[in-house]
Amino acid sequence: MKSNCVVKQEDNFSGTTKRPRRNRNNAVIRSMVAETQLSAEALVFPLFVTMQKASSAIPSMPGIFRFSKEDLLHEIESCLSVGLKSFVLFPAIEESLKDNKGSYGLKANNFYVECIHEIRSRFPEAFLISDVALDPYSSDGHDGLVEDGIILNDATVKLLADMALLHAQAGVDMIGPSDMMDGRVAAIRKKLDSSGYHHTGIISYTAKYASAYYGPFRDALESAPRFGDKKTYQMNPANRREAIREALLDEEEGADVLMVKPALCYLDVIHELRQHSTLPIAAYNVSGEYAMLKAAAANGWIDYHRAMPEMLLAIKRAGADIILTYFAKEFCSLSSTQ
Ligand code: PBG
């Protein structure tokens, strides 16, 4: 019988008895001792929806689209068929509907709310996370209200809580505040609870850094800040202790899941939050991280089919239970055909 052992009998010249390679002898033992598993259950697929009639490609994110409402529903159906069940939805809002208060985002039955409604009724089995922030609706391209060039915290938080309630009423499973204002988790929790939405969760963007890796996402939504940057609310990439501080606050304020964003340059932060909280930890493998790998693959500089799962595995190994990633569908399609 042919053994699948690839190790050859040889003399023990070194006299060593400790041989870690024994646990790598063949595929069976390698899987048996694998410390980290990647599976569809851990993945959340970000989806962009446009108010336009037709879907459009996003040049800096090959393979990702701004879907029309109709195409979005088809996409969700096709994701469900490969075992991908969780989604976070981002709206591309028409420029003419943006203002400096983000008013459209708070309108009952706005386009985004309609989409949530429709997904909820067509696909009750889909797990849906909404994005709560002002930037898709803001003519300033900021996540908060702007006055004299300053981002207002508490006035923004009030709007975010109202927006969260709209999304909960439309049927999302979880609210995803991506704004980084102080105190917004507590305000959203309070608003949801006082309106009877105790069961609607909060996946908080806890440690969201002022990162260059969001570029392609801002292309997709045309949501780049029209002046300045986001450094007075998003975190300084130099800081790790501050992420723990944010985590402790979010946990205290009632978050159900803590998120680190981006993922790859912040694996140490993911690990740190894993040590400091008993809550599930999520990591957002962001648009720029997706774009880098796709660009290298398109140039033939990297073996995409190995590099992609290796990237996701690293995020998991660092301590993330949940990964939001634009690779989710491709990962699930590849796994479901294996
Ligand atoms: C904004 C928001 C951003 C992302 C998600 N929500 C960009 C930003 O903060 O400017 C980025 C996601 C990605 O790059 O994939 N509320």
Side-chain angles (χ1 to χ4, degrees), residues 299-337:
N299 278 292
W301 295 337
I302 203 158
D303 179 347
Y304 177 78
H305 289 102
R306 291 184 54 211
M308 185 262 274
E310 184 175 334
M311 193 186 258
L312 298 179
L313 197 64
I315 299 169
K316 205 93 215 276
R317 194 188 62 236
D321 304 288
I322 301 168
I323 308 175
L324 290 79
T325 178
Y326 302 95
F327 296 117
K329 188 179 182 195
E330 229 172 340
F331 177 85
C332 294
S333 310
L334 293 170
S335 325
S336 72
T337 53

Side-chain angles (χ1 to χ4, degrees), residues 135 143 178 208 214 217-218 230 234 261 286-287 326:
D135 57 318
D143 296 46
S178 64
K208 178 173 177 181
Y214 307 148
F217 175 96
R218 294 178 188 173
K230 298 192 174 187
Q234 298 183 349
K261 177 184 177 181
V286 299
S287 58
Y326 302 95

Side-chain angles (χ1 to χ4, degrees), residues 94-124:
E94 271 169 30
E95 198 56 40
S96 63
L97 292 170
K98 298 184 184 180
D99 65 19
N100 64 359
K101 296 198 170 54
S103 321
Y104 186 71
L106 288 142
K107 242 178 101 172
N109 298 320
N110 68 28
F111 173 71
Y112 187 63
V113 168
E114 258 175 33
C115 289
I116 294 170
H117 246 304
E118 203 147 328
I119 297 169
R120 181 75 305 147
S121 57
R122 287 269 295 271
F123 307 108

Side-chain angles (χ1 to χ4, degrees), residues 46 48 61 88 90 131-136 141-143 176-180 205 208-218 221 223-225 230 233-234 261-262 284-290 324 326:
F48 298 110
M61 301 181 75
V88 56
F90 296 101
D131 182 56
V132 166
L134 290 191
D135 57 318
H142 277 286
D143 296 46
S178 64
D179 56 286
M180 287 300 279
Y205 290 58
K208 178 173 177 181
Y209 288 86
S211 170
Y213 291 91
Y214 307 148
F217 175 96
R218 294 178 188 173
L221 299 190
S223 65
K230 298 192 174 187
Y233 46 108
Q234 298 183 349
K261 177 184 177 181
Y284 199 141
N285 181 211
V286 299
S287 58
E289 299 171 333
Y290 176 85
L324 290 79
Y326 302 95

Side-chain angles (χ1 to χ4, degrees), residues 101-257:
K101 296 198 170 54
S103 321
Y104 186 71
L106 288 142
K107 242 178 101 172
N109 298 320
N110 68 28
F111 173 71
Y112 187 63
V113 168
E114 258 175 33
C115 289
I116 294 170
H117 246 304
E118 203 147 328
I119 297 169
R120 181 75 305 147
S121 57
R122 287 269 295 271
F123 307 108
E125 71 275 40
F127 190 91
L128 201 52
I129 303 171
S130 74
D131 182 56
V132 166
L134 290 191
D135 57 318
Y137 315 98
S138 159
S139 49
D140 295 312
H142 277 286
D143 296 46
L145 285 173
V146 182
E147 207 172 86
D148 303 327
I150 307 282
I151 314 298
L152 302 179
N153 194 90
D154 296 13
T156 301
V157 166
K158 196 176 169 311
L159 298 183
L160 297 175
D162 291 342
M163 188 185 283
L165 180 58
L166 270 186
H167 299 174
Q169 288 165 337
V172 292
D173 295 282
M174 273 192 149
I175 303 292
S178 64
D179 56 286
M180 287 300 279
M181 297 300 124
D182 292 333
R184 91 282 208 211
V185 172
I188 292 172
R189 188 68 271 158
K190 194 166 161 219
K191 185 86 185 182
L192 295 178
D193 287 354
S194 63
S195 312
Y197 290 88
H198 314 271
H199 53 281
T200 307
I202 302 176
I203 177 167
S204 175
Y205 290 58
T206 293
K208 178 173 177 181
Y209 288 86
S211 170
Y213 291 91
Y214 307 148
F217 175 96
R218 294 178 188 173
D219 295 344
L221 299 190
E222 293 174 359
S223 65
R226 307 292 154 93
F227 71 88
D229 52 43
K230 298 192 174 187
K231 291 181 183 167
T232 69
Y233 46 108
Q234 298 183 349
M235 282 178 54
N236 183 345
N239 293 357
R240 183 165 62 196
R241 274 197 323 263
E242 193 184 342
I244 302 171
R245 187 171 182 223
E246 287 281 6
L248 297 176
L249 282 170
D250 279 359
E251 183 158 357
E252 182 67 33
E253 290 181 31
D256 299 287
V257 178

